[in-house]
Coordinates of all heavy atoms in Angstrom, one line a residue:
L20 N 3.9 21.6 1.3 CA 3.2 20.4 1.9 C 3.9 19.1 1.2 O 4.1 19.0 0.0 CB 1.8 20.4 1.6 CG 0.8 19.5 2.4 CD1 0.9 20.0 3.9 CD2 -0.6 19.6 1.9
Q21 N 4.3 18.2 2.1 CA 4.9 17.0 1.7 C 3.9 16.1 1.0 O 2.9 15.7 1.6 CB 5.7 16.3 2.8 CG 6.3 15.0 2.4 CD 7.7 15.3 1.7 OE1 8.3 16.3 1.9 NE2 8.1 14.3 1.0
V22 N 4.2 15.6 -0.2 CA 3.4 14.7 -1.0 C 4.2 13.5 -1.3 O 5.4 13.6 -1.8 CB 2.8 15.3 -2.2 CG1 2.1 14.3 -3.1 CG2 1.8 16.4 -1.8
T23 N 3.7 12.2 -1.2 CA 4.4 11.0 -1.5 C 3.7 10.4 -2.7 O 2.5 10.2 -2.7 CB 4.4 10.1 -0.3 OG1 5.0 10.7 0.8 CG2 5.1 8.7 -0.6
Q24 N 4.6 10.0 -3.6 CA 4.1 9.3 -4.8 C 4.0 7.8 -4.5 O 5.0 7.2 -4.1 CB 5.0 9.6 -6.0 CG 4.6 9.1 -7.3 CD 3.5 9.9 -7.9 OE1 3.4 11.1 -7.7 NE2 2.6 9.3 -8.6
V25 N 2.9 7.2 -4.9 CA 2.8 5.7 -4.7 C 2.5 5.0 -6.0 O 1.7 5.5 -6.8 CB 1.6 5.4 -3.8 CG1 1.5 3.9 -3.5 CG2 1.7 6.1 -2.4
K26 N 3.3 4.0 -6.2 CA 3.1 3.2 -7.4 C 2.8 1.7 -7.1 O 3.5 1.2 -6.2 CB 4.4 3.2 -8.3 CG 4.3 2.6 -9.6 CD 5.7 2.9 -10.3 CE 5.6 2.6 -11.8 NZ 7.0 2.8 -12.4
V27 N 1.7 1.2 -7.6 CA 1.2 -0.1 -7.3 C 1.4 -1.1 -8.5 O 0.8 -0.8 -9.6 CB -0.2 -0.2 -6.8 CG1 -0.6 -1.5 -6.4 CG2 -0.5 0.8 -5.7
M28 N 2.3 -2.1 -8.3 CA 2.6 -3.0 -9.5 C 1.7 -4.3 -9.2 O 1.8 -4.8 -8.1 CB 4.0 -3.3 -9.5 CG 5.0 -2.3 -10.1 SD 4.7 -2.0 -11.8 CE 5.0 -3.7 -12.5
G29 N 1.1 -4.8 -10.3 CA 0.5 -6.1 -10.2 C 1.5 -7.1 -10.8 O 2.0 -6.9 -11.9
L30 N 1.9 -8.1 -10.1 CA 2.9 -9.1 -10.6 C 2.3 -10.1 -11.5 O 2.9 -10.4 -12.5 CB 3.6 -9.8 -9.4 CG 4.3 -8.9 -8.4 CD1 5.0 -9.7 -7.4 CD2 5.2 -7.9 -9.1
A31 N 1.0 -10.5 -11.3 CA 0.4 -11.4 -12.2 C 0.1 -10.8 -13.6 O 0.3 -11.5 -14.6 CB -1.0 -11.8 -11.6
S32 N -0.2 -9.5 -13.6 CA -0.4 -8.8 -14.9 C 0.9 -8.1 -15.4 O 0.9 -7.7 -16.5 CB -1.5 -7.8 -14.7 OG -1.1 -6.8 -13.8
N33 N 1.9 -8.2 -14.6 CA 3.1 -7.4 -14.9 C 2.8 -6.0 -15.4 O 3.3 -5.6 -16.5 CB 3.9 -8.3 -15.9 CG 5.3 -7.7 -16.2 OD1 5.9 -7.1 -15.2 ND2 5.9 -7.8 -17.3
S34 N 2.0 -5.2 -14.7 CA 1.6 -3.9 -15.1 C 1.4 -3.0 -14.0 O 1.3 -3.5 -12.7 CB 0.4 -3.9 -16.0 OG -0.7 -4.4 -15.2
V35 N 1.4 -1.7 -14.2 CA 1.1 -0.8 -13.1 C -0.4 -0.8 -12.9 O -1.1 -0.4 -13.8 CB 1.7 0.6 -13.5 CG1 1.4 1.6 -12.4 CG2 3.2 0.6 -13.8
V36 N -0.8 -1.1 -11.7 CA -2.2 -1.2 -11.4 C -2.8 0.2 -11.0 O -3.8 0.5 -11.3 CB -2.3 -2.2 -10.2 CG1 -3.8 -2.2 -9.7 CG2 -2.0 -3.6 -10.6
A37 N -1.9 1.0 -10.3 CA -2.4 2.3 -9.9 C -1.2 3.2 -9.6 O -0.1 2.7 -9.2 CB -3.3 2.2 -8.7
E38 N -1.4 4.5 -9.7 CA -0.4 5.4 -9.2 C -1.3 6.6 -8.6 O -2.2 7.1 -9.1 CB 0.4 6.0 -10.3 CG 1.5 5.1 -10.8 CD 2.4 5.7 -11.8 OE1 2.1 5.7 -13.0 OE2 3.5 6.1 -11.4
F39 N -0.9 7.0 -7.4 CA -1.6 8.1 -6.7 C -0.7 8.8 -5.8 O 0.5 8.3 -5.5 CB -2.9 7.6 -6.0 CG -2.6 6.4 -5.1 CD1 -2.3 6.7 -3.8 CD2 -2.7 5.1 -5.4 CE1 -2.1 5.7 -2.8 CE2 -2.4 4.1 -4.5 CZ -2.1 4.4 -3.2
K40 N -1.1 9.8 -5.2 CA -0.3 10.6 -4.2 C -1.0 10.6 -2.9 O -2.1 10.5 -2.7 CB -0.3 12.1 -4.7 CG 0.5 12.3 -6.0 CD 0.5 13.8 -6.3 CE 1.5 14.2 -7.4 NZ 1.1 13.5 -8.7
L41 N -0.1 10.6 -1.9 CA -0.6 10.6 -0.5 C -0.2 11.9 0.1 O 1.0 12.4 -0.1 CB 0.0 9.5 0.3 CG -0.5 8.1 0.0 CD1 0.3 7.1 0.8 CD2 -2.0 7.9 0.2
Q42 N -1.0 12.5 0.9 CA -0.7 13.7 1.8 C 0.0 13.2 3.0 O -0.2 12.1 3.5 CB -1.9 14.5 2.1 CG -2.8 14.9 0.9 CD -2.0 15.9 -0.1 OE1 -1.2 16.6 0.4 NE2 -2.3 15.8 -1.3
E43 N 0.6 14.1 3.7 CA 1.4 13.8 4.9 C 0.5 13.2 5.9 O 0.8 12.2 6.7 CB 2.0 15.1 5.4 CG 2.7 15.0 6.7 CD 3.9 13.9 6.7 OE1 4.4 13.7 5.6 OE2 4.3 13.4 7.8
N44 N -0.8 13.6 6.1 CA -1.7 13.1 7.1 C -2.2 11.7 6.8 O -2.9 11.1 7.6 CB -2.9 14.1 7.3 CG -3.8 14.2 6.1 OD1 -3.5 13.6 5.1 ND2 -4.8 15.0 6.2
E45 N -1.8 11.1 5.7 CA -2.2 9.8 5.3 C -1.1 8.8 5.5 O -1.3 7.5 5.4 CB -2.7 9.7 3.9 CG -3.9 10.5 3.6 CD -4.2 10.6 2.1 OE1 -3.5 11.1 1.3 OE2 -5.3 10.0 1.7
M46 N 0.1 9.3 5.8 CA 1.3 8.4 5.8 C 1.4 7.4 6.9 O 2.1 6.5 6.8 CB 2.6 9.3 5.8 CG 2.7 10.1 4.6 SD 2.9 9.0 3.2 CE 4.6 8.3 3.4
D47 N 0.6 7.6 8.0 CA 0.5 6.6 9.1 C -0.8 5.7 9.0 O -0.9 4.9 10.0 CB 0.7 7.3 10.4 CG 2.1 7.9 10.4 OD1 3.1 7.2 10.3 OD2 2.2 9.2 10.7
S48 N -1.5 5.9 8.0 CA -2.7 5.0 7.9 C -2.2 3.6 7.5 O -1.1 3.4 6.9 CB -3.7 5.6 6.9 OG -4.1 6.8 7.3
D49 N -3.1 2.6 7.5 CA -2.7 1.3 7.0 C -3.0 1.2 5.5 O -3.9 1.8 5.0 CB -3.5 0.2 7.8 CG -4.9 0.1 7.4 OD1 -5.7 0.9 8.0 OD2 -5.2 -0.7 6.5
L50 N -2.2 0.4 4.9 CA -2.3 0.3 3.4 C -3.4 -0.4 2.9 O -3.9 -0.2 1.8 CB -1.0 -0.2 2.9 CG 0.2 0.8 2.7 CD1 1.5 0.1 2.6 CD2 -0.1 1.7 1.6
L51 N -4.0 -1.3 3.7 CA -5.2 -2.0 3.3 C -6.3 -1.0 3.1 O -7.0 -1.0 2.1 CB -5.7 -3.1 4.4 CG -7.0 -3.8 4.1 CD1 -6.8 -4.7 2.9 CD2 -7.5 -4.6 5.3
T52 N -6.5 -0.1 4.0 CA -7.5 1.0 3.9 C -7.2 1.9 2.8 O -8.1 2.2 1.9 CB -7.6 1.8 5.2 OG1 -7.9 0.8 6.3 CG2 -8.7 2.8 5.2
L53 N -6.0 2.4 2.7 CA -5.6 3.3 1.7 C -5.8 2.8 0.3 O -6.3 3.5 -0.6 CB -4.1 3.8 1.9 CG -3.9 4.7 3.1 CD1 -2.4 4.8 3.3 CD2 -4.6 6.0 3.0
L54 N -5.4 1.6 0.1 CA -5.5 1.0 -1.3 C -7.0 0.7 -1.6 O -7.5 0.9 -2.7 CB -4.7 -0.3 -1.4 CG -3.2 -0.1 -1.2 CD1 -2.5 -1.4 -1.1 CD2 -2.7 0.6 -2.5
R55 N -7.7 0.2 -0.7 CA -9.2 -0.1 -1.0 C -9.9 1.1 -1.2 O -10.8 1.1 -2.1 CB -9.7 -0.9 0.2 CG -9.3 -2.3 0.2 CD -10.1 -3.1 1.2 NE -10.1 -4.5 0.9 CZ -10.8 -5.4 1.6 NH1 -11.5 -5.1 2.7 NH2 -10.8 -6.6 1.3
D56 N -9.6 2.2 -0.6 CA -10.3 3.5 -0.7 C -10.1 4.0 -2.2 O -10.8 4.8 -2.7 CB -9.7 4.6 0.2 CG -10.3 4.4 1.6 OD1 -11.2 3.6 1.8 OD2 -9.8 5.2 2.5
R57 N -9.0 3.5 -2.8 CA -8.7 3.9 -4.2 C -9.2 2.8 -5.2 O -8.8 2.8 -6.3 CB -7.3 4.2 -4.4 CG -7.0 5.5 -3.7 CD -5.5 5.8 -3.4 NE -5.3 7.1 -2.8 CZ -5.5 7.3 -1.5 NH1 -5.8 6.4 -0.7 NH2 -5.3 8.6 -1.1
G58 N -10.0 1.9 -4.7 CA -10.6 0.9 -5.6 C -9.6 -0.3 -6.0 O -9.9 -1.0 -6.9
I59 N -8.5 -0.4 -5.3 CA -7.6 -1.5 -5.6 C -8.0 -2.7 -4.7 O -8.1 -2.7 -3.5 CB -6.1 -1.1 -5.3 CG1 -5.8 0.2 -6.1 CG2 -5.1 -2.2 -5.5 CD1 -4.7 1.0 -5.6
P60 N -8.3 -3.8 -5.3 CA -8.9 -5.0 -4.6 C -7.9 -5.8 -3.9 O -7.3 -6.8 -4.3 CB -9.6 -5.8 -5.7 CG -8.7 -5.5 -6.9 CD -8.2 -4.1 -6.8
I61 N -7.6 -5.4 -2.6 CA -6.7 -6.2 -1.8 C -7.5 -7.3 -1.1 O -8.6 -7.0 -0.5 CB -6.1 -5.3 -0.7 CG1 -5.4 -4.0 -1.3 CG2 -5.1 -6.0 0.2 CD1 -4.3 -4.4 -2.2
A62 N -7.0 -8.5 -1.1 CA -7.6 -9.6 -0.5 C -7.7 -9.5 1.1 O -6.7 -8.9 1.6 CB -7.0 -10.9 -0.9
S63 N -8.7 -9.9 1.7 CA -8.8 -9.9 3.1 C -10.0 -10.8 3.6 O -11.0 -10.7 2.9 CB -9.0 -8.4 3.6 OG -9.7 -8.4 4.8
S64 N -9.8 -11.4 4.7 CA -11.0 -12.1 5.3 C -11.1 -11.8 6.7 O -12.1 -12.2 7.3 CB -11.0 -13.6 5.0 OG -9.9 -14.2 5.6
C65 N -10.1 -11.0 7.2 CA -10.3 -10.7 8.7 C -10.5 -9.2 8.9 O -10.5 -8.7 10.1 CB -9.0 -11.1 9.4 SG -7.6 -10.0 9.1
Y66 N -10.8 -8.5 7.8 CA -11.1 -7.1 7.9 C -10.0 -6.2 8.6 O -10.3 -5.3 9.3 CB -12.4 -6.9 8.6 CG -13.5 -7.6 7.9 CD1 -14.0 -8.8 8.4 CD2 -14.0 -7.1 6.6 CE1 -15.0 -9.5 7.7 CE2 -15.0 -7.8 6.0 CZ -15.5 -9.1 6.5 OH -16.4 -9.8 5.9
G67 N -8.7 -6.6 8.4 CA -7.6 -5.8 8.9 C -7.2 -6.1 10.3 O -6.6 -5.3 10.9
D68 N -7.6 -7.2 10.8 CA -7.2 -7.6 12.2 C -5.8 -8.2 12.3 O -5.3 -8.6 13.3 CB -8.2 -8.6 12.8 CG -9.5 -7.9 13.2 OD1 -9.4 -6.7 13.4 OD2 -10.5 -8.6 13.4
G69 N -5.2 -8.5 11.1 CA -3.8 -9.0 11.1 C -3.8 -10.5 11.4 O -2.8 -11.0 11.8
V70 N -4.9 -11.2 11.0 CA -5.0 -12.6 11.3 C -4.9 -13.4 10.0 O -4.2 -14.5 10.0 CB -6.3 -12.9 12.0 CG1 -6.5 -14.4 12.3 CG2 -6.4 -12.1 13.3
C71 N -5.7 -13.0 9.0 CA -5.8 -14.0 7.8 C -4.6 -14.0 6.9 O -4.4 -15.0 6.2 CB -7.1 -13.5 7.0 SG -6.8 -12.0 6.1
Q72 N -3.7 -13.0 6.9 CA -2.5 -13.0 6.1 C -2.9 -13.1 4.6 O -2.0 -13.5 3.8 CB -1.5 -14.1 6.5 CG -1.1 -14.0 8.0 CD 0.2 -14.3 8.2 OE1 1.0 -14.8 7.3 NE2 0.7 -14.1 9.5
K73 N -4.0 -12.6 4.2 CA -4.4 -12.6 2.8 C -4.0 -11.3 2.1 O -4.0 -11.2 0.8 CB -5.9 -12.8 2.6 CG -6.3 -14.2 2.9 CD -7.7 -14.5 2.6 CE -8.1 -16.0 2.8 NZ -9.5 -16.2 2.6
C74 N -3.7 -10.3 2.9 CA -3.5 -8.9 2.4 C -2.1 -8.6 2.1 O -1.7 -7.5 2.0 CB -4.1 -7.9 3.4 SG -3.2 -8.0 4.9
L75 N -1.3 -9.7 1.8 CA 0.1 -9.5 1.6 C 0.5 -8.6 0.4 O -0.1 -8.7 -0.7 CB 0.8 -10.9 1.4 CG 0.7 -11.8 2.6 CD1 1.4 -13.1 2.4 CD2 1.2 -11.2 3.9
I76 N 1.4 -7.7 0.7 CA 2.0 -6.9 -0.3 C 3.5 -7.0 -0.3 O 4.1 -7.4 0.8 CB 1.6 -5.4 -0.2 CG1 2.0 -4.8 1.2 CG2 0.1 -5.2 -0.4 CD1 1.9 -3.3 1.3
N77 N 4.2 -6.7 -1.3 CA 5.7 -6.7 -1.3 C 6.2 -7.9 -0.8 O 7.2 -7.9 0.0 CB 6.2 -5.4 -0.5 CG 5.8 -4.1 -1.2 OD1 5.0 -4.1 -2.1 ND2 6.5 -3.1 -0.9
G78 N 5.6 -9.1 -1.2 CA 6.0 -10.4 -0.7 C 5.4 -10.8 0.5 O 4.5 -11.7 0.6
D79 N 5.9 -10.2 1.7 CA 5.4 -10.8 3.0 C 4.9 -9.8 4.0 O 5.0 -10.1 5.2 CB 6.6 -11.6 3.6 CG 7.9 -10.8 3.8 OD1 7.8 -9.5 3.4 OD2 8.8 -11.2 4.3
L80 N 4.6 -8.6 3.6 CA 4.1 -7.6 4.5 C 2.6 -7.6 4.5 O 1.9 -7.6 3.4 CB 4.6 -6.1 4.0 CG 6.1 -6.0 4.2 CD1 6.4 -4.5 3.6 CD2 6.6 -6.0 5.5
M81 N 2.0 -7.6 5.6 CA 0.6 -7.4 5.7 C 0.1 -6.0 5.5 O 0.5 -5.1 6.3 CB 0.0 -7.9 7.1 CG 0.1 -9.4 7.2 SD -0.7 -10.0 8.8 CE 0.7 -9.7 9.9
A82 N -0.7 -5.7 4.5 CA -1.1 -4.4 4.2 C -1.9 -3.7 5.3 O -1.8 -2.5 5.5 CB -2.0 -4.4 2.8
C83 N -2.6 -4.5 6.1 CA -3.4 -4.0 7.2 C -2.6 -3.6 8.3 O -3.1 -2.9 9.2 CB -4.5 -5.0 7.6 SG -3.9 -6.5 8.3
M84 N -1.3 -4.0 8.4 CA -0.4 -3.7 9.5 C 0.8 -2.8 9.1 O 1.7 -2.6 9.9 CB 0.1 -5.0 10.1 CG -0.9 -5.9 10.7 SD -1.4 -5.2 12.3 CE -3.2 -5.6 12.3
T85 N 0.7 -2.3 7.8 CA 1.8 -1.6 7.3 C 1.4 -0.2 6.9 O 0.3 -0.1 6.2 CB 2.5 -2.3 6.1 OG1 2.8 -3.6 6.5 CG2 3.7 -1.6 5.6
S86 N 2.2 0.8 7.2 CA 1.8 2.2 6.7 C 2.8 2.6 5.6 O 3.8 2.0 5.4 CB 2.0 3.1 7.9 OG 3.4 3.3 8.1
P87 N 2.3 3.5 4.7 CA 3.3 4.0 3.7 C 4.5 4.5 4.2 O 5.6 4.3 3.6 CB 2.5 5.1 3.0 CG 1.1 5.2 3.7 CD 1.0 4.2 4.7
R88 N 4.5 5.1 5.4 CA 5.8 5.7 5.9 C 6.8 4.6 6.1 O 8.0 4.8 6.0 CB 5.5 6.4 7.3 CG 6.6 7.3 7.6 CD 6.5 8.0 9.0 NE 5.2 8.8 9.0 CZ 5.0 10.0 8.5 NH1 5.9 10.6 7.8 NH2 3.8 10.6 8.7
E89 N 6.3 3.4 6.5 CA 7.2 2.3 6.8 C 7.9 1.8 5.5 O 8.9 1.1 5.5 CB 6.5 1.1 7.4 CG 6.0 1.4 8.8 CD 5.2 0.3 9.4 OE1 5.7 -0.7 9.9 OE2 4.0 0.4 9.3
L90 N 7.3 2.1 4.3 CA 7.9 1.6 3.0 C 8.8 2.7 2.4 O 9.4 2.5 1.3 CB 6.7 1.3 2.1 CG 5.9 0.1 2.5 CD1 4.8 -0.2 1.4 CD2 6.7 -1.1 2.9
L91 N 8.8 3.8 3.0 CA 9.5 5.0 2.5 C 11.0 4.7 2.7 O 11.4 4.5 3.8 CB 9.0 6.2 3.2 CG 9.0 7.5 2.5 CD1 8.3 7.5 1.2 CD2 8.3 8.5 3.4
T92 N 11.8 4.8 1.7 CA 13.3 4.7 1.9 C 13.7 6.1 2.2 O 13.2 7.1 1.8 CB 14.0 4.1 0.7 OG1 13.4 4.8 -0.5 CG2 13.8 2.6 0.6
R93 N 14.8 6.1 3.0 CA 15.3 7.4 3.5 C 15.6 8.3 2.4 O 16.3 7.9 1.4 CB 16.5 7.1 4.3 CG 17.1 8.3 5.1 CD 18.4 7.9 5.8 NE 18.2 7.0 6.9 CZ 17.9 7.5 8.2 NH1 17.9 8.7 8.4 NH2 17.7 6.6 9.1
G94 N 15.2 9.6 2.5 CA 15.5 10.6 1.5 C 14.7 10.5 0.3 O 15.0 11.2 -0.8
S95 N 13.7 9.6 0.2 CA 12.8 9.4 -1.0 C 11.4 9.8 -0.7 O 11.0 9.8 0.5 CB 12.8 8.0 -1.4 OG 11.8 7.7 -2.3
N96 N 10.7 10.3 -1.7 CA 9.2 10.6 -1.5 C 8.4 9.6 -2.4 O 7.3 10.0 -2.9 CB 8.9 12.0 -1.7 CG 9.2 12.4 -3.2 OD1 9.8 11.7 -3.9 ND2 8.6 13.5 -3.6
K97 N 8.9 8.4 -2.6 CA 8.2 7.5 -3.4 C 8.0 6.2 -2.6 O 9.0 5.7 -2.0 CB 9.0 7.2 -4.7 CG 9.1 8.4 -5.7 CD 9.5 7.9 -7.0 CE 9.4 9.1 -8.1 NZ 10.7 9.8 -8.1
V98 N 6.9 5.5 -2.8 CA 6.6 4.3 -2.2 C 6.2 3.3 -3.3 O 5.4 3.6 -4.2 CB 5.4 4.4 -1.2 CG1 4.9 3.0 -0.9 CG2 5.9 5.1 0.1
Q99 N 6.8 2.2 -3.4 CA 6.6 1.1 -4.4 C 5.9 -0.1 -3.7 O 6.4 -0.5 -2.7 CB 7.9 0.7 -5.0 CG 7.7 -0.3 -6.2 CD 8.0 0.4 -7.5 OE1 8.5 1.5 -7.6 NE2 7.6 -0.3 -8.6
I100 N 4.8 -0.5 -4.3 CA 4.0 -1.6 -3.7 C 3.8 -2.6 -4.9 O 3.5 -2.3 -6.0 CB 2.6 -1.1 -3.2 CG1 2.8 -0.2 -2.0 CG2 1.7 -2.3 -2.8 CD1 1.5 0.6 -1.6
S101 N 4.0 -3.9 -4.5 CA 3.8 -5.0 -5.5 C 2.7 -5.9 -4.9 O 2.7 -6.2 -3.7 CB 5.0 -5.7 -5.9 OG 5.6 -6.4 -4.8
I102 N 1.8 -6.4 -5.7 CA 0.8 -7.3 -5.3 C 0.8 -8.5 -6.2 O 0.6 -8.4 -7.4 CB -0.6 -6.6 -5.3 CG1 -0.6 -5.4 -4.4 CG2 -1.7 -7.5 -4.9 CD1 -1.7 -4.4 -4.5
S103 N 1.0 -9.7 -5.6 CA 1.3 -10.9 -6.4 C 0.1 -11.3 -7.3 O 0.4 -11.7 -8.5 CB 1.7 -12.0 -5.5 OG 0.6 -12.3 -4.7
Y104 N -1.1 -11.1 -6.9 CA -2.2 -11.7 -7.6 C -3.0 -10.7 -8.6 O -3.9 -11.1 -9.2 CB -3.3 -12.3 -6.6 CG -3.6 -11.4 -5.5 CD1 -4.6 -10.4 -5.6 CD2 -3.0 -11.5 -4.3 CE1 -4.9 -9.5 -4.6 CE2 -3.2 -10.7 -3.3 CZ -4.2 -9.6 -3.5 OH -4.5 -8.8 -2.4
L105 N -2.5 -9.5 -8.6 CA -3.1 -8.5 -9.5 C -2.4 -8.4 -10.8 O -1.2 -8.7 -10.9 CB -3.2 -7.1 -8.9 CG -4.2 -7.0 -7.7 CD1 -4.2 -5.6 -7.1 CD2 -5.5 -7.5 -8.0
Ligands
FES14 S1 -6.6 -8.3 6.3 FE1 -6.2 -10.1 7.3 S2 -4.2 -10.1 7.9 FE2 -4.5 -8.2 6.9

């Protein structure tokens, strides 16, 4: 079974906020949901409608509109996420 390792960096704290694994069946979910389900406080005021642009990760990507699979580099099973205000 394919498992993807996720590392979440907080840029404000310059530390690793969380590390967890995703199963294959989670790879096409949105990252707003996946991160919040793990207790990571992602900002949002539109509840994932892609309107408020508060949920930004990795600079300019909306977490609610991005799946872990989209962040996977070819041939890798690791996803790196950075959040500016954590
Ligand atoms: S939660 Fe509002 S744009 Fe993503």
